Amino acid sequence: MNTMVPGTTLEKKIAEGSAKFGVVGLGYVGLPLIVAMAQRAGVHCLGFDISPERVAQINDGISYIGDIASEVLAPLARTGQVEATTDFARSAECDVMVICVPTPLNATNEPDVSYMVAAATEIAPYLQPDTLVTLESTTYPGTTEEILLPIIQSEQLQLGTNLFVAFSPERVDPGNETWQISNTPKVVGGLDARSTQLATLFYSTFIDSVVPVSTARAAELSKLFENIFRCVNIALVNELTQLCERMDIDIWEVVDAAKTKPFGFMPFYPGPGLGGHCIPVDPFYLSWKAREFDFHTQFIELAGRINEDMPYYVTRRLMDALNLQGKALNGARILALGVAYKADINDMRESPAIDVITLLNAKGAAVRYHDSHVAEYVQDGQTVSSVACTAEEVAAADAVIILAGHSGVDYDMVSKKASLILDTRNVLADVLGEHIVRL
């Protein structure tokens, strides 16, 4: 949506396709972003990362992100449209710099913006006049203005004159083959009107629909609102799941019936807990910032507590199911199907499956796992490896717990060979059997 008449040098470069784009942070957000830039905008894109291994893989055309096939990355790397480096001095070559580094929570659920600060500090000495810097890392309202701007602004680079700064939240949904970067609407909010205009022009070169808002703070809060909306609605259905157990009502049937209403209802589903980088983390960013204004986000914090409790609830359900078979969880052999945070991806960030497995092990169970997308992971310094999902493995388990719902699993075999199944994802919705327990 380019409604601007090129005026400044930067504006002309972006409009004419001669600008060079840079991306700081080449993970789940940064790598798909730089590939979309190169494919759609057709410009030279330079990626920055502190990991020499990642940089080497990208330059060799090898993708380590499930949503980006090496067959897509390789030709872009071979022609030089996509290039990666650990040398942040090369920021001087870029007309646009996009920062998309992790913004996790610390041990006390407070925002950890250290990665963002480090990225901004690395590029700041090399930024040239007439440069646009955008931040995509999810964070609390005010971050772009209060933390990013003071690091990159200087006597030579002044906001609105020759430095332009905006926030544009990432909307990456790992494993979603329908909604990807280029066709997912992009919210943009600058620290001044000119920054908003330039950021809108920039993103319009490779994204179909760009949605400018009045301020960076509005853009920052919009991302939090999107994920808080999901968090509280998932918490609602997770709480109802626990009530439905006591009332002997099938929560899945209830949701299916409710979603037949063509207006005023959106279905959300229960599960073993929240996973991914966004939904388990983002609400706490706003809760933390709200306290600065003497405001307590009680509804958000309650939703967070309900969702955080789900791995404990799932553990208790499995314990109860084993008791009904005359078995104890202590000493039981458990096969967990799936450790990724959702189906058909290899992303384990904040995966509730790991919390469930940790709780089961703490109660004396011997847990093995199968996940065709995650060959191994490290827990408490120990490498844990996936086992094959064979009939023998399933039959040897005292219970099977379905935690991710990957489509590649032979669930027909599992339902026939397992003595007990706890299905937290309703993948066995159409399979009958007293040995199958659903949330």
Side-chain angles (χ1 to χ4, degrees):
M1 49 177 287
N2 180 9
T3 60
M4 299 174 57
V5 178
T8 66
T9 301
L10 176 59
E11 201 170 328
K12 287 180 180 179
K13 283 185 176 181
I14 296 174
E16 295 169 356
S18 61
K20 187 171 183 177
F21 300 161
V23 175
V24 182
L26 299 173
Y28 285 94
V29 176
L31 184 56
L33 182 67
I34 202 170
V35 168
M37 288 176 178
Q39 286 182 315
R40 295 287 297 268
V43 299
H44 183 192
C45 300
L46 185 58
F48 298 85
D49 203 282
I50 61 174
S51 168
E53 292 79 13
R54 279 185 173 183
V55 165
Q57 284 181 283
I58 290 173
N59 289 332
D60 288 338
I62 301 171
S63 174
Y64 44 83
I65 300 295
D67 285 347
I68 300 296
S70 295
E71 292 77 13
V72 173
L73 177 61
L76 297 173
R78 187 169 55 249
T79 59
Q81 277 187 273
V82 169
E83 181 186 0
T85 182
T86 57
D87 183 7
F88 285 83
R90 295 190 63 188
S91 304
E93 301 173 21
C94 299
D95 301 289
V96 179
M97 291 292 290
V98 183
I99 298 173
C100 39
V101 294
T103 47
L105 297 169
N106 64 19
T108 57
N109 279 345
E110 295 178 332
D112 177 2
V113 296
S114 61
Y115 295 96
M116 185 187 65
V117 169
T121 303
E122 288 278 12
I123 68 174
Y126 309 109
L127 296 177
Q128 300 299 303
D130 220 18
T131 297
L132 168 67
V133 179
T134 72
L135 177 64
E136 293 208 3
S137 304
T138 303
T139 186
Y140 57 83
T143 304
T144 308
E145 180 180 4
E146 298 165 6
I147 295 182
L148 177 61
L149 180 62
I151 297 174
I152 62 176
Q153 188 169 235
S154 65
E155 290 184 4
Q156 292 74 34
L157 295 175
Q158 288 295 307
L159 176 67
T161 302
N162 57 3
L163 175 66
F164 309 98
V165 184
F167 181 81
S168 183
E170 58 87 4
R171 282 174 162 173
V172 173
D173 183 17
N176 193 325
E177 297 181 1
T178 301
W179 294 105
Q180 301 183 351
I181 287 177
S182 293
N183 67 343
T184 300
K186 194 83 165 102
V187 173
V188 172
L191 293 185
D192 67 321
R194 190 68 179 141
S195 295
T196 302
Q197 290 177 327
L198 285 168
T200 299
L201 177 63
F202 158 62
Y203 282 111
S204 295
T205 62
F206 62 97
I207 294 178
D208 296 338
S209 175
V210 180
V211 183
V213 294
S214 61
T215 64
R217 289 172 181 258
E220 289 162 340
L221 186 53
S222 74
K223 174 59 186 293
L224 297 184
F225 181 43
E226 292 170 15
N227 288 327
I228 289 168
F229 171 81
R230 295 186 65 191
C231 177
V232 297
N233 280 282
I234 292 170
L236 173 62
V237 75
N238 278 338
E239 186 171 60
L240 287 178
T241 297
Q242 298 176 55
L243 175 61
C244 282
E245 179 203 357
R246 299 187 185 188
M247 300 178 72
D248 194 25
I249 299 172
D250 184 342
I251 183 63
W252 302 94
E253 181 182 13
V254 171
V255 175
D256 284 344
K259 74 180 184 182
T260 62
K261 184 179 181 181
F263 53 89
F265 182 82
M266 178 181 294
F268 289 84
Y269 300 94
L274 291 183
H277 173 67
C278 291
I279 301 177
V281 174
D282 293 359
F284 291 104
Y285 266 73
L286 188 59
S287 295
W288 176 84
K289 185 64 175 180
R291 291 196 290 272
E292 181 181 314
F293 296 87
D294 196 26
F295 188 90
H296 295 276
T297 53
Q298 300 176 64
F299 194 59
I300 295 172
E301 291 167 17
L302 175 60
R305 289 197 297 271
I306 292 171
N307 289 326
E308 286 180 338
D309 190 55
M310 285 306 290
Y312 295 89
Y313 173 71
V314 168
T315 301
R316 200 253 308 158
R317 287 293 303 274
L318 184 59
M319 187 185 305
D320 290 346
L322 283 166
N323 284 341
L324 289 175
Q325 292 193 345
K327 299 178 181 179
L329 181 58
N330 186 12
R333 177 167 171 166
I334 309 298
L335 176 62
L337 297 183
V339 293
Y341 83 84
K342 69 175 183 176
D344 298 332
I345 64 172
N346 64 356
D347 193 343
M348 291 181 59
R349 290 176 296 174
E350 309 293 334
S351 175
I354 303 304
D355 293 331
V356 171
I357 291 172
T358 300
L359 290 169
L360 292 174
N361 282 326
K363 291 186 177 297
V367 183
R368 294 154 69 87
Y369 89 91
H370 167 77
D371 193 315
S372 59
H373 298 271
V374 181
E376 62 182 28
Y377 69 92
V378 177
Q379 182 73 12
D380 298 326
Q382 301 293 318
T383 299
V384 187
S385 300
S386 174
V387 300
C389 186
T390 63
E392 294 75 18
E393 184 72 41
V394 172
D398 293 296
V400 173
I401 181 169
I402 301 173
L403 294 171
H406 293 318
S407 60
V409 175
D410 185 352
Y411 291 110
D412 181 62
M413 178 274 291
V414 171
S415 67
K416 292 175 180 176
K417 295 294 183 179
S419 57
L420 174 64
I421 301 172
L422 175 57
D423 182 3
T424 73
R425 300 292 188 176
N426 203 34
V427 298
L428 299 179
D430 298 324
V431 181
L432 299 177
E434 293 183 357
H435 66 303
I436 299 175
V437 178
R438 299 180 179 84
L439 282 189

